[in-house]
């Protein structure tokens, strides 16, 4: 008999939802602070085409830093190995929006998931696309099977108004000759990519190629098998910022979080998970999201780095 994924998701959802809410909804972007902390959804898309869900899996939420996974993939497609001249692949051990390490390391961002690295990646996209925002929206739409994706203008405006720290990071990269475009243009594109709302089901679907050796279920190649392994490696070592050691200890899957409370996690060869619960732990990662993934990983007997 095949594994009963639906009862696993139902059990995990019920167990985690019964526990008291820990953590705090992100409020440094005021538009995000309005989200109800009790929202909670889970989706699992399998490489055999089946999709399972529990809770509010069809409710759109702000993808935030999960967008960095998709812009990384776009930049890998455009630049190949040369991308790694622009950004590293080492865990930072510092907060996602930290400037400290950049000063010590000549403005070379440690990895593509901290804000500095994500801004370097968006800068790379701005250099190649006449309409980078359109390109990002179209890429995401094609991966999650939607005709069109829209930006939440309220969230985008709020990010722009409270984005001085990200602008500071971008100027710092520019001061080190690692940023060839206008700071305002790149930060605008970055804020807007973060302000895209998607559902757990759509995000699980969008990331499914990473569980499928780099191809979509329709057979379209997104990344080469080697690039897919590289992306999964960066997710495993950097996907949850300075909380990644604890995450790999508890869950052990390559993953990417966002301050909207979402986490995408990949089960290589099997499927792609997305969980959403807005209250965040001290590192800016969804507290319940990690709890849920820990229960799922334990049930599937995940071995970190192996599966
Ligand atoms: O740039 C920012 O700070 C946000 N737009 C995204 C940060 C984020 O999602 C970090 N993830 N946990």
């Amino acid at each position: 008999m095949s594994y009963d994924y639906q009862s696993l998701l139902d059990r995990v959802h019920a167990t985690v939802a019964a526990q008291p809410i820990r953590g705090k909804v992100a409020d440094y972007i005021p538009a995000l602070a309005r989200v109800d902390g009790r929202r909670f959804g889970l989706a699992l898309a399998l490489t055999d085409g089946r999709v399972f869900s529990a809770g509010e899996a069809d409710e759109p939420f702000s993808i935030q830093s999960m967008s960095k996974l998709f812009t990384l993939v776009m930049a890998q497609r455009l630049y190949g190995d040369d991308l790694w001249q622009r950004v590293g692949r080492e865990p930072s051990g510092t907060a996602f929006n930290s400037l400290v390490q950049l000063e010590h390391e000549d403005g070379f961002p440690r990895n593509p998931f901290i804000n500095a690295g994500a801004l370097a990646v968006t800068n790379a996209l701005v250099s190649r696309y006449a309409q980078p925002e359109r390109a990002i929206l179209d890429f995401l739409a094609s991966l999650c099977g939607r005709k069109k994706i829209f930006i939440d203008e309220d969230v985008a405006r709020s990010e722009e108004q409270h984005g001085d720290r990200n602008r500071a990071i971008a100027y710092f990269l520019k001061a080190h000759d690692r940023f060839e475009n206008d700071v305002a243009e790149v930060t605008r594109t970055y804020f807007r990519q973060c302000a895209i709302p998607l559902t757990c089901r759509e995000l699980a679907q969008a990331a499914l190629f990473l569980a499928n050796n780099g191809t979509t279920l329709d057979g379209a190649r997104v990344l080469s098998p080697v690039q897919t392994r590289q992306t999964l490696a960066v997710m495993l070592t950097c996907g949850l910022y300075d909380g990644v050691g604890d995450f790999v200890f508890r869950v052990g899957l390559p993953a990417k979080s966002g301050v909207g409370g979402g986490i995408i996690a990949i089960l290589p060869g099997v499927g792609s998970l997305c969980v959403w619960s807005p209250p965040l732990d001290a590192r800016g990662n969804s507290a319940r999201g990690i709890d849920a993934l820990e229960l799922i990983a334990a049930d599937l007997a995940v071995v970190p780095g192996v599966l």
Side-chain angles (χ1 to χ4, degrees), residues 28-29 64-65 96 115 159 166 190 194 241 257-259 284-285:
Y28 76 104
I29 302 166
Q64 292 295 317
S65 283
F96 63 87
N115 288 11
E159 297 231 16
N166 283 319
Y190 169 79
C194 291
Y241 312 108
S257 62
V259 288
N285 301 311

Side-chain angles (χ1 to χ4, degrees), residues 28-29 32 63-68 96-97 113 115 119 159 162 166 190-191 194-195 239-241 256-262 280 283-286:
Y28 76 104
I29 302 166
L32 293 184
I63 67 170
Q64 292 295 317
S65 283
M66 285 187 287
S67 68
K68 298 169 180 173
F96 63 87
N97 55 4
F113 293 152
N115 288 11
L119 285 159
E159 297 231 16
H162 297 84
N166 283 319
Y190 169 79
F191 295 139
C194 291
L240 275 84
Y241 312 108
K256 181 74 206 85
S257 62
V259 288
L280 308 176
R283 265 74 189 255
N285 301 311
S286 170

